[in-house]
Amino acid sequence: MTDPLYYSTAPVFSVDGTVKGELARDLLRLEVEEDTAGLRTLMASFIAQGPQSGEAAEVQLYLDGAVLDFGRRLSVSIGPPDGARRIFDGVISALEADFAGGRVPRVAVFAEDALMKLRMTRRSRTWERMSDADIASEIAGLHGLSAAADADGPTWDVVQQWNQSDLAFLRERARLIGAELWCADDTLHFATRDQRTATELTLVQGGDLLGARLRADLAHQRLSVKVGGFDAGARERIDEEGAEDAVQAEVSGGRTGIAVLGEVFSEAATFRVREVPLETAEARAIARAELLRRARRFVTVGGTTRGTPDLMVGSRLRLERVGPPFEGDGYYVTRVRHTYDLTDGHRTHFEAERATIGVTS
């Protein structure tokens, strides 16, 4: 069987499990966005006036609740027939009507994935003798979600949730240990980067990669991250440090930002003072996560492709024809925005990061 020479890149919309072809027909613009902090969002704009079955004249569309309404489950797939991927699955949370003189009326729909439940729930609670993975699993259960918590970390003596939404609280917990948060198929995932599985892609500048801006920047690099405190149980000072060995385990070649910084400055440490660890393991986890966060962003790239359904947060990229310092493997995608409109069709905008630059001759 041969691949089709031409195919439509128009998105396919489903509402409550039923395909709605009229939404693809009347679509003006689609945007689906996600990053490592979780909560995938959608905005879709449609022509809001046209023919309707059984009506002789044109009528207003999508404002009667027959197709689009609050709380309905909206799914979107995009891509070629043999490679279409679902890029959004969530619940409609907002509707907007736009009437402007000299222009056809428009209706916009906004939706969020299942993490919306966590965003809408605010609470104060004390969590005792639990790991962050345990906390994430329990919060998932409170919202009727399954949990896949694959994040190593300490068992915290006491964790306070002070009038925070469950989403904001879990984002904070994820930051402290270098984990990421997302939802897929009604499962809440709370995992460190090495436990996240996604696609592996090669993008060639001048081919599928329409444009890219790459930067290697020492501004936020540090030779080490230090975290201190006092262990009341052991009656001793806590003094932990995250250093280059934390990131070396993740790279397979090139020069890290920490190594380059060390050639320029002999002292460049940072001290974390906002967190108050009560045990050595807590301080060690905080120091390591902060060091990794900085080191991983030594090289950053923002790019646009012709439309890549397989490109998602967590994808590993190889970039080609982007110059020796930036060439090669090791890029990790941290933000993705899929767009579709009548001018450009499907485009995929992404941000990615890497801890190293290549060795130049």
Side-chain angles (χ1 to χ4, degrees):
M1 182 177 178
T2 59
D3 294 331
L5 291 177
Y6 301 99
Y7 59 84
S8 173
T9 61
V12 176
F13 292 85
S14 296
V15 179
D16 289 340
T18 301
V19 174
K20 298 294 183 180
E22 61 269 38
L23 293 178
R25 177 197 66 195
D26 296 332
L27 179 66
L28 294 170
R29 182 166 179 82
L30 170 71
E31 296 183 7
V32 175
E33 187 166 5
E34 180 189 16
D35 63 18
T36 54
L39 189 64
R40 189 175 302 183
T41 60
L42 171 145
M43 187 289 297
S45 177
F46 305 93
I47 296 172
Q49 182 173 315
Q52 193 172 53
S53 178
E55 299 286 345
E58 290 189 344
V59 297
Q60 285 188 345
L61 304 174
Y62 307 123
L63 292 173
D64 58 0
V67 177
L68 302 176
D69 204 359
F70 293 101
R72 290 195 171 169
R73 191 153 188 166
L74 180 64
S75 297
V76 181
S77 299
I78 198 167
D82 59 347
R85 180 181 290 276
R86 187 176 65 185
I87 60 172
F88 183 81
D89 182 30
V91 172
I92 295 174
S93 59
L95 296 169
E96 177 181 276
D98 182 1
F99 299 95
R103 192 180 71 182
V104 65
R106 302 181 180 190
V107 165
V109 59
F110 300 82
E112 301 177 11
D113 71 9
L115 290 182
M116 178 183 177
K117 299 176 182 179
L118 280 68
R119 184 179 68 79
M120 301 288 284
T121 302
R122 185 177 293 270
R123 72 178 86 235
S124 295
R125 179 171 173 176
T126 300
W127 309 81
E128 299 183 52
R129 301 308 301 172
M130 297 179 71
S131 69
D132 292 305
D134 294 335
I135 293 172
S137 295
E138 186 164 330
I139 288 178
L142 294 174
H143 294 280
L145 300 173
S146 301
D150 301 311
D152 293 332
T155 297
W156 303 87
D157 188 40
V158 176
V159 174
Q160 298 282 1
Q161 181 179 355
W162 289 106
N163 192 30
Q164 288 176 291
S165 72
D166 285 344
L167 179 59
F169 176 63
L170 283 185
R171 283 173 169 172
E172 178 184 332
R173 303 315 306 170
R175 176 186 62 82
L176 285 175
I177 63 170
E180 297 175 0
L181 182 68
W182 74 99
C183 194
D185 298 323
D186 290 326
T187 296
L188 186 148
H189 294 263
F190 185 94
T192 46
R193 185 167 293 189
D194 59 314
Q195 297 297 323
R196 186 167 191 168
T197 59
T199 55
E200 297 184 6
L201 303 170
T202 296
L203 299 178
V204 181
Q205 190 277 131
D208 285 339
L209 185 59
L210 296 177
R213 174 173 290 182
L214 304 99
R215 171 183 290 190
D217 194 344
L218 292 176
H220 299 288
Q221 297 297 299
R222 296 295 183 270
L223 298 180
S224 64
V225 175
K226 299 181 180 181
V227 175
F230 185 77
D231 189 327
R235 295 180 178 276
E236 61 184 15
R237 177 184 176 185
I238 296 173
D239 188 7
E240 289 296 317
E241 182 179 57
E244 188 180 12
D245 58 338
V247 72
Q248 282 293 351
E250 297 187 354
V251 302
S252 57
R255 302 159 66 203
T256 67
I258 299 174
V260 176
L261 183 67
E263 298 170 3
V264 181
F265 299 102
S266 59
E267 289 291 334
T270 188
F271 296 83
R272 297 294 300 178
V273 297
R274 296 183 63 181
E275 293 83 19
V276 185
L278 301 178
E279 296 179 357
T280 298
E282 297 176 3
R284 186 179 301 121
I286 293 170
R288 181 179 184 277
E290 176 63 12
L291 189 284
L292 283 175
R293 184 187 69 81
R294 291 173 176 272
R296 287 166 171 169
R297 290 192 60 76
F298 175 42
V299 178
T300 56
V301 54
T304 301
T305 77
R306 295 184 185 277
T308 312
D310 287 338
L311 188 59
M312 62 187 70
V313 173
S315 290
R316 271 72 173 180
L317 299 183
R318 175 181 176 83
L319 301 183
E320 296 183 355
R321 296 176 63 185
V322 292
F326 306 111
E327 198 88 4
D329 300 308
Y331 288 95
Y332 184 90
V333 177
T334 58
R335 181 184 295 271
V336 170
R337 181 166 60 95
H338 292 282
T339 64
Y340 178 89
D341 60 38
L342 302 181
T343 301
D344 295 325
H346 183 201
R347 292 287 184 265
T348 303
H349 314 268
F350 69 93
E351 295 177 10
E353 60 189 28
R354 189 174 77 172
T356 60
I357 56 172
V359 178
T360 58
S361 57

